[in-house]
Amino acid sequence: MPVISIANPKGGAGKSTTALVLGTTFASKGASVTIVDCDPNQPIKTWATGPSRNPVNVLSDVTESRIVPVIDAERAERQFVFVDLEGTASRMVSRAIARSDLVIIPMQASAVDAAQAARAVGLVREEEQVLGRSIPLRVLFTRTSPQLQTRNEKLIMDELKASGVPLFNTHLNQRTAFQSLFTYKVALEELDPDVVNGIEAPVSNASRVAAVVIEAIKTLNQKVAA
């Protein structure tokens, strides 16, 4: 089953948020999901100690030498495996990318993030050369405004597209609810609406992002089959 790595050598790009939002959203819709938390700070491992009843399976404390067998074992048992990678170009990151069916590169709409996203694309391309096969990737913009697209955002998107970097057209918006997942250690649908306002919008946003990920995987599978 698909292995989806979340990669960007820059910290704070939204890797863990992306992994947790997608993993819990897929699981809430009935899919069997594992998130492998490879972030040294282990934010998703900490999340899993909370009261959430979301059925997502979280694995952590995975070493560089065990990352490949862990991924292979989980993909044999689960419908989706998300790997939240550390914010550096390490051997563990390379091994996870090599095992991936899709690499999602989260980034904010800034020049600094764009430069680091380009590094992440370069890491994927290097693994492709080593393996002699294509590793599909998509850039996912995070923390964008749900109301309007800024000039800076449009400029960076246009530059990435001109460079041939594939992007998701749906973004993971800036929402308090996404931050609150880590605060209260629950899934989106479990947040208390009396404590976190406007839960419906982030739930809808998460579902839309999950849908474009599914569509990307289907498209890639069709290309492989052809």
Side-chain angles (χ1 to χ4, degrees), residues 2 25 36 61 72 74 84 94 102 137 144 166 178 207 209 217:
T25 297
V36 184
D61 302 313
D72 288 349
E74 292 304 309
D84 179 25
S94 296
L102 175 66
L137 65 87
T144 56
F178 295 146
S207 293
V209 175
I217 292 170

Side-chain angles (χ1 to χ4, degrees), residues 71-151:
I71 288 175
D72 288 349
E74 292 304 309
R75 82 185 310 162
E77 298 293 332
R78 304 282 176 169
Q79 290 175 288
F80 297 94
V81 179
F82 291 91
V83 186
D84 179 25
L85 292 170
E86 58 185 332
T88 185
S90 66
R91 186 174 297 180
M92 177 182 285
V93 169
S94 296
R95 289 178 175 177
I97 288 174
R99 274 295 194 272
S100 299
D101 299 287
L102 175 66
V103 177
I104 296 177
I105 302 173
M107 62 167 285
Q108 297 184 58
S110 73
V112 173
D113 273 55
Q116 294 304 313
R119 284 187 62 202
V121 172
L123 291 174
V124 176
R125 299 307 185 215
E126 288 174 11
E127 290 303 316
E128 288 180 326
Q129 292 176 9
V130 172
L131 297 172
R133 70 170 179 88
S134 174
I135 303 174
L137 65 87
R138 296 287 188 278
V139 166
L140 172 68
F141 277 79
T142 63
R143 299 176 186 170
T144 56
S145 168
Q147 283 82 32
L148 56 92
Q149 183 184 63
T150 66
R151 292 180 181 178

